[in-house]
Amino acid sequence: MSRAYLNMGISEKIKDDLKNKIQRNLDRAYITRVLKILGTRPILSAYGSTFASESDKILNIASIKSLKNAYSGRYPVAYGSLFLPYEMIHALGLAPFLPEVMAGFTGGLGITDKTLKEAASKWYTPDLCTFHRSAAGAVELEIFPKPNFLLCANLACDAAQKTFYIDAVKYNIKDNYYLLEVPFTKDKTGIEYLANQIQNICEDIAKKTGKKLDMDKFSKTISLSNQFRHWAIKLNSIRKKLYNYPENFNGLNFILPFHGLAGTEDAVKVYRSMYFEFKKLLEVQDAAPKNKSKKRLLWLHLKPYYKNRIFNVLEENNYILGFEEINYVYWPELDTARPFESLAVKMLSHPLNGSIDNRICAIQNMVKDYNIDGAILFSHWGCRHSNGGARIIKDSLNKSGVPLLILDGDCLNKNNSSEGQMLTRLQGFIEIINSSYK
Amino acid sequence: MAENSSILTFEQFINEGTCTAFKERTVKKGQKIGWFCSYTPEEIITASGFIPYRIAGINKTKKAEGYFPINFCPFVKSMMEDLLENTAKNESFSGLIFTNSCDCMRRFYDVARNYLSGMPAFMLDVPRNRSALAVRQFINNIKNMLSFLEDISKKNIRIDLLEDAACLHNKKRAILSEIESTFISHIGFTAANYFKIMDYAMTEEPGVFTANLKKYLEYIKNAGKAMYCPRQSRPGRHAAANKYISKENSPPVMIVGNFIQENKLWEIFDELDCFIAYADTCSAVRYFKNITGLKKDCKHLYDNYALAETGSTGPITEKILTDIAIRQLYKPQCMRMADLSKKIEEINKNIDKYKIKGIIFISQKFCDNTLLFYPLLRQDLNILKIPSLFLEIEHNNLSAGQVKTRIQAFLEIL
Ligand code: SF4
Ligand code: SF4
């Protein structure tokens, strides 16, 4: 038995153990205690050593550190929706907490049955996206840390702006709720409108936390964000050629560092070390360039966060995820001297903002850059924004000779997805791609 | 219950020939601009020489199903069906004005552009915040809409045209408000009739419509005098023989919902003698309310912007556009807007004003903006001890029997 395998077993065991304990003690105080213990240096490094690969290790450590801060009570907590420019939250000295991403964790922790049930009892109907329903349930159950501020954007979907508002009412902090309105088009007036909003919100929060807006800190945060961007681009360029990933690597797990940690040392560390880890693998691959028979898929939208066999089936069939839509670096380098405007440009550059043309254009670039053989759009139940464009994406990819599988399922609620059906469709899709190569 | 036989419905009234005839209710090439959401400033369309026509999803969804996923707004699907149907009949619109209302509408815009070849489409970005910044941004966006329409019509939208159009639409809104108060005060005025009027209001040439509605209002007030029975004063049973007297005794309910324009549904309300005292939907009050008192309420915004900016369009246009932008953003708000407490406040005020005893919350299935408002509304109503009924419906696909039973059961507990 290899050491890596042994470590992986230990890490899985620790995780399962933690999972069971949290399932039994589903409350904020217990989670805070667990994170406090887990977050101490020796335990954290011992925990880190149980991971099979560097990328898995640093991802887990960075996530725990970020969570620990949010639960610690030492910093004002800001709930943030996914595509917010988190640089502003870090520059303001707030601890970010991402309810949608944490809803993904509720899937991994196996507690979505409870959170969804709680949401249903509070009149969230089952037709709504489970990320938001589960997060709403977790807020109601007081599993998530108490927020001091809630910041959301209407980028991509409509849901966060509503659930966050309800959370603000629950905690009686309606005045600390902010909706960043991202204009539909990226033009001069749109940039100005968004930049003004970001600045106003930052000034307001600074005032409420009894501080002055620290422009030096903004500039440092923006510079860190640029460094993270630099390493993320370098890492992605390696992935254009790489066929063998580190053990346990799944690019769909990196939402927190890519968004929530943008503007921190941790994000720089995650992406820099991953770059070097992947670079080594590429060197090995280049030295023995045999294993290029693997097919490369592009994954669109998110994945199921509960245990499932989708990725095993892909691996068994010699398929890898050549790239994931969520890891696309879509924004230009930020200007440290103009933080608000830069962050506005970053948001407005997101391919999910505006018309579907932006998303299609980004997808077509990824198809070309990452040498893609086929694409899978995971059609998460209740996601109007992504699924609503599925037909257009399919037609557009078909025109370029890339088949697309629209895989219906639910990222969090395993009871709302039939794994058997998903796997059958996946097998069928694999056969189609394979046959086109004969 | 059918309309009182002695009072004509609006539809009967216009068909009697006393009114200027409406043009054929089809879409002729080069005549109409299609729009979808009540945040669309129709006056800009009128000023550009087109007739604003609200596409209301009158067709059952068939072909449109193939363009969207299953769990997607049924109203959007039905509107797409209308567009496909029009295109098939070669009765296309001159252009379409979409709004950035919700995820489904954004994807609808994409689908329309991709699959209705050559149809000019514009996305009007409507802010969700209410602030001076948002008003300014909205004015910019309306200016872009103006340029889009100028391009299609190949004409300049002159200031006098814009002024006339704004005035015309405000007149239309004023008379619709009068109709609304008649609707709630008049025994013989059914929900089906009220919403049919809204149908016409959103699709007919505004000048002709307004003139006709004015005549109808006079007719109602005069010809129906014997039946006229303001509820607020709770008169004696002067129309004792009138079968609508039961409506007089039914507890006032409020409808809160999104785009609910289902004849069958309104007929159910009438059959059950349900007294709708206020309909907070985007085909009712959210469509026409808000023309008076606006300037006082939003004075700070006017101070900031009126005549202050001299963009390429000049100060007078700027003033008119400011009026329009403020009216739209500060009208009774839709659930898509950011500050949901304002919506709750509005509803609470109307509960008091109209002495509401119960709320029927109706949402199109899969409408996130509306469905995600209900948890908050429900909390509020629990505090106020106002019972509510939650109805999810599928546009153009109403299970009438089931809905009727649920409304009936709800009315019984009031
Ligand atoms: S899955 Fe879709 S609807 Fe759900 S949070 Fe993400 S973008 Fe929004
Ligand atoms: S009913 Fe809701 S989902 Fe449908 S178009 Fe209107 S706001 Fe959008």
Side-chain angles (χ1 to χ4, degrees), chain A residues 148-376:
Chain A
N148 300 86
F149 297 96
L150 302 106
L151 288 90
C152 52
N154 60 324
L155 208 165
C157 79
D158 295 327
Q161 35 176 319
K162 303 291 165 215
T163 51
F164 278 33
Y165 195 92
I166 299 175
D167 300 344
V169 171
K170 175 182 164 72
Y171 287 106
N172 205 9
I173 47 169
K174 276 187 293 187
D175 286 347
N176 291 355
Y177 163 92
Y178 305 92
L179 168 65
L180 267 171
E181 233 168 329
V182 188
F184 195 74
T185 31
K186 184 178 162 189
D187 55 20
K188 202 171 148 270
T189 55
I191 295 171
E192 198 186 299
Y193 176 46
L194 187 52
N196 279 331
Q197 292 177 66
I198 297 175
Q199 180 165 0
N200 288 350
I201 293 174
C202 288
E203 281 168 359
D204 202 46
I205 293 180
K207 206 159 84 199
K208 284 175 181 161
T209 49
K211 289 179 189 158
K212 268 210 158 143
L213 210 52
D214 181 349
M215 293 317 287
D216 281 348
K217 197 154 175 212
F218 263 92
S219 158
K220 269 184 210 133
T221 311
I222 295 288
S223 154
L224 284 171
S225 178
N226 280 337
Q227 290 172 46
F228 137 67
R229 177 181 174 275
H230 165 83
W231 291 111
I233 290 174
K234 277 176 84 81
L235 170 70
N236 286 351
S237 70
I238 291 209
R239 290 192 62 194
K240 289 176 183 168
K241 294 164 262 174
L242 195 66
Y243 282 83
N244 295 310
Y245 290 141
E247 229 171 311
N248 280 355
F249 172 79
N250 188 321
L252 293 159
N253 290 342
F254 288 80
I255 304 177
L256 180 69
F258 200 79
H259 295 285
L261 300 184
T264 64
E265 293 272 7
D266 276 340
V268 180
K269 213 169 125 199
V270 168
Y271 284 87
R272 186 179 47 215
S273 37
M274 273 171 67
Y275 165 72
F276 287 113
E277 183 188 20
F278 279 56
K279 188 167 168 267
K280 257 190 218 144
L281 287 171
L282 186 62
E283 282 160 8
V284 173
Q285 180 183 296
D286 285 346
K290 275 179 254 144
N291 208 354
K292 286 201 178 171
S293 59
K294 287 184 184 170
K295 299 279 183 306
R296 302 173 65 89
L297 293 178
L298 174 67
W299 191 277
L300 305 178
H301 203 244
L302 302 162
K303 64 164 186 171
Y305 286 92
Y306 43 86
K307 271 200 178 136
N308 66 84
R309 287 205 16 90
I310 295 178
F311 299 98
N312 307 62
V313 168
L314 291 179
E315 208 178 310
E316 285 155 17
N317 284 279
N318 232 7
Y319 273 67
I320 57 161
L321 294 195
F323 200 58
E324 309 78 19
E325 181 184 25
I326 59 160
N327 288 320
Y328 185 63
V329 180
Y330 52 85
W331 67 99
E333 190 166 331
L334 312 178
D335 182 349
T336 49
R338 305 165 75 89
F340 306 120
E341 202 181 302
S342 294
L343 295 179
V345 171
K346 182 178 180 187
M347 292 186 94
L348 279 159
S349 307
H350 201 294
L352 297 184
N353 192 49
S355 91
I356 194 100
D357 301 357
N358 302 334
R359 189 175 182 196
I360 303 258
C361 175
I363 290 174
Q364 291 288 9
N365 283 342
M366 291 179 236
V367 164
K368 245 191 293 134
D369 291 351
Y370 294 88
N371 210 358
I372 293 299
D373 298 295
I376 296 179

Side-chain angles (χ1 to χ4, degrees), chain B residues 139 143 146-147 150 157 159 162 309-319 321:
Chain B
I139 294 171
K143 279 184 195 164
L146 206 132
S147 313
E150 283 183 333
I157 300 181
I159 293 173
L162 201 53
E309 288 183 45
T310 44
S312 56
T313 39
I316 299 176
T317 312
E318 208 69 43
K319 165 80 176 66
L321 295 183

Side-chain angles (χ1 to χ4, degrees), chain A residues 158 162 165 181 184 384 395, chain B residues 115 125 128 335 341 368:
Chain A
D158 295 327
K162 303 291 165 215
Y165 195 92
E181 233 168 329
F184 195 74
R384 264 43 98 175
D395 289 351
Chain B
Y115 301 103
D125 201 353
R128 285 172 176 74
M335 280 71 100
S341 291
D368 295 340

Side-chain angles (χ1 to χ4, degrees), chain A residues 100 129 131-132 156-157 159 301-302 380 382-385:
Chain A
E100 289 147 285
C129 162
F131 281 106
H132 286 284
C157 79
H301 203 244
L302 302 162
H380 167 62
C383 180
R384 264 43 98 175
H385 115 82

Side-chain angles (χ1 to χ4, degrees), chain A residues 2-59:
Chain A
S2 75
R3 187 178 138 70
Y5 187 80
L6 196 70
N7 280 349
M8 199 181 95
I10 296 170
S11 119
E12 283 305 305
K13 216 178 151 315
I14 294 178
K15 276 191 202 164
D16 280 346
D17 200 35
L18 261 178
K19 212 156 99 174
N20 292 335
K21 282 194 178 130
I22 291 178
Q23 277 175 7
R24 283 199 303 274
N25 302 283
L26 208 51
D27 68 70
R28 189 186 285 151
Y30 184 78
I31 298 173
T32 309
R33 261 205 320 278
V34 170
L35 287 167
K36 203 169 168 188
I37 299 168
L38 212 54
T40 52
R41 254 176 208 282
I43 305 259
L44 203 57
S45 69
Y47 179 65
S49 69
T50 63
F51 288 94
S53 71
E54 189 67 10
S55 48
D56 213 15
K57 172 181 148 183
I58 48 179
L59 170 68

Side-chain angles (χ1 to χ4, degrees), chain A residues 378-403:
Chain A
F378 190 76
S379 170
H380 167 62
W381 174 262
C383 180
R384 264 43 98 175
H385 115 82
S386 174
N387 303 342
R391 160 84 192 254
I392 308 175
I393 296 173
K394 192 174 175 95
D395 289 351
S396 149
L397 283 175
N398 273 353
K399 265 189 215 150
S400 350
V402 177

